[in-house]
Amino acid sequence: MPTDGVLFHAHAHRQVDPSPPSGVTLRHDWAQDEVRAIHDSPLLELVHRAHSLHRLGFPDGRVQLCSLLSVKSGGCSEDCSYCPQSARFDTGVQPERLLPVPQVLEEAKKARALGATRFCMGAAWREVKDGPQFEAVLEMVRGVRALGLEACCTLGMLSAEQARRLKEAGLTAYNHNLDTSPDFYGEIIRTHAYRERLETIAHARDAGIAVCAGGIIGMGESVLDRCRMLLALANQPAHPESVPINALVPIPGTPLEGRPKVEPLELVRMIATARILMPMSVVRLSAGRLALSEEAQLLCLLAGANSIFFGERLLTTGNPSYQADMALLEKAGLRPLEPEGLR
Ligand code: SAM
Ligand code: DTB
Ligand code: SF4
């Protein structure tokens, strides 16, 4: 029923796909050649198809504003080649302790006052370890939910039991990215496996937490790798509730420091393809916006992106200013998702 599809969009906690409105089909049997053909189709056809689906799935055209806070920065054991927070690279990011719960909740309040509907907390951990730090994170989740915000965490790998406890604390979504294709993954990360990422995503989904999973482009992967990553996401038992698409922010000191800038139109293709494969998922234009013109960002929003991180900081790197983002949305007549749009 079309109205169900509309009401269901975007923010339900889901283990299964939402029921889509008429004209929208959710598929989990995409073939690599189909994805490649979509990705490589003439740009304006691609954008038109993606935008048409976007309008059906999200008729109010709102943009979700998410706020991001690094609650535990730096000193990570892992070797993710893109990451400023790995202890293995000299990037100038200092290892810090977990922030105190009241400080995190103050930041959440500020984000809410500026119009955020989702508050995401990131920790530079390989995995969650049971103990006082996890208990503090659970406290943060409860506090953020009590403020009327959606709560998201990205804490590395997670067991089924830890996912259950996060759900019990009220966690809305868990971010864990596939980052790239299964084949290219080994070029980027050696300290944990693709399979482990899929397991963490399954633990979050099975606990009834919305899955936020996407990846990065610009790390030296081929177009086929990009398509295979989207294929891996779309052919999950349920489409991720949200799909962050990051353009690599090359960090001095990391193995990827010298990667050339991502071509904005490649990002547009990636977003449009994600929108077509996963029509009811929130597609988030994530890292890399500082390097994009206003026009390029608008093209991403036209091609199916309907969420951004706002605020001057992502985890450790910069992001457009609040004023710049509000001015951009205003100019385009795009309205942020209101808190009452949440369920
Ligand atoms: N430690 C946790 C993990 O690995 O899941 C959470 C934090 S991690 C920084 C979250 C995601 O941020 C990564 O999976 C990656 O997709 C993205 N990311 C990190 N550094 C980036 C960079 N320099 N450019 C673009 N995206 C980046
Ligand atoms: C995601 O896919 N992108 C966000 C969020 N999930 C946690 C993180 C981007 C981090 C960019 C590098 C930094 O600021 O440290
Ligand atoms: Fe960075 Fe997360 Fe990899 Fe650690 S596990 S190096 S924080 S991306």
Side-chain angles (χ1 to χ4, degrees):
M1 207 165 59
T3 46
D4 274 347
V6 172
L7 284 175
F8 214 114
H9 79 63
H11 303 290
H13 303 202
R14 65 197 199 205
Q15 276 169 285
V16 292
D17 289 320
S19 41
S22 75
V24 179
T25 316
L26 301 183
R27 287 182 49 192
H28 301 275
D29 60 351
W30 293 98
Q32 184 178 295
D33 292 350
E34 274 180 296
V35 178
R36 183 71 200 249
I38 293 169
H39 179 280
D40 291 352
S41 59
L43 186 69
L44 298 190
E45 268 172 44
L46 173 65
V47 171
H48 174 72
R49 182 171 171 194
H51 184 69
S52 305
L53 269 170
H54 188 175
R55 286 201 156 200
L56 286 174
F58 299 88
D60 65 9
R62 301 261 182 168
V63 179
Q64 177 197 43
L65 301 180
C66 300
S67 178
L68 191 53
L69 177 68
S70 181
V71 298
K72 196 270 164 224
S73 300
C76 184
S77 62
E78 301 307 277
D79 70 350
C80 311
S81 306
Y82 49 76
C83 189
Q85 306 206 67
S86 166
R88 295 164 191 252
F89 317 134
D90 184 8
T91 64
V93 173
Q94 296 305 318
E96 276 165 26
R97 300 160 74 93
L98 187 69
L99 294 180
V101 178
Q103 189 178 333
V104 172
L105 297 182
E106 270 315 303
E107 293 299 325
K109 269 188 210 160
K110 284 188 213 158
R112 183 183 63 174
L114 294 176
T117 58
R118 178 171 287 193
F119 190 71
C120 306
M121 295 163 275
W125 288 332
R126 175 183 203 271
E127 71 227 316
V128 171
K129 294 199 174 75
D130 292 327
Q133 302 212 335
F134 184 44
E135 299 304 319
V137 170
L138 294 171
E139 202 51 46
M140 291 171 193
V141 170
R142 284 188 282 266
V144 168
R145 298 293 286 142
L147 292 170
L149 288 163
E150 293 186 336
C152 178
C153 282
T154 182
L155 314 167
M157 294 185 280
L158 210 59
S159 70
E161 175 60 14
Q162 289 163 341
R164 194 195 61 73
R165 293 203 63 208
L166 283 163
K167 172 70 184 174
E168 193 178 68
L171 190 73
T172 311
Y174 195 76
N175 167 244
H176 202 63
N177 291 337
L178 291 183
D179 278 341
T180 189
S181 72
D183 314 81
F184 191 68
Y185 181 86
E187 303 284 316
I188 298 298
I189 299 164
R190 290 175 191 83
T191 49
H192 55 271
Y194 206 72
R195 178 186 45 78
E196 294 178 285
R197 293 205 174 232
L198 290 167
E199 283 168 9
T200 289
I201 289 171
H203 291 153
R205 182 173 57 238
D206 294 347
I209 299 169
V211 169
C212 169
I216 314 182
I217 66 167
M219 302 188 293
E221 74 288 339
S222 66
V223 167
L224 194 57
D225 287 313
R226 294 177 187 177
C227 292
R228 284 186 176 149
M229 179 187 90
L230 293 177
L231 186 76
L233 293 167
N235 287 350
Q236 292 276 306
H239 291 164
E241 178 254 8
S242 44
V243 181
I245 303 291
N246 299 277
L248 177 73
V249 179
I251 309 288
T254 64
L256 299 182
E257 64 180 352
R259 293 302 316 167
K261 179 178 172 302
V262 169
E263 278 290 329
L265 293 183
E266 294 187 22
L267 191 57
V268 172
R269 282 194 180 276
M270 193 67 184
I271 286 173
T273 309
R275 168 55 63 225
I276 292 168
L277 300 190
M278 296 167 279
M280 299 299 286
S281 301
V282 173
V283 177
R284 187 166 305 112
L285 173 58
S286 301
R289 285 202 298 122
L290 265 185
L292 294 180
S293 68
E294 289 198 327
E295 293 80 2
Q297 294 186 63
L298 286 176
L299 206 41
C300 290
L301 293 165
L302 183 70
N306 56 352
S307 174
I308 55 171
F309 286 115
F310 84 130
E312 274 155 47
R313 195 136 280 275
L314 288 169
L315 291 171
T316 65
T317 65
N319 198 42
S321 72
Y322 173 74
Q323 288 76 9
D325 279 344
M326 291 307 119
L328 179 63
L329 295 181
E330 174 81 31
K331 260 188 253 180
L334 281 165
R335 286 186 301 164
L337 189 71
E338 305 278 350
E340 53 267 33
L342 302 175
R343 308 165 7 109

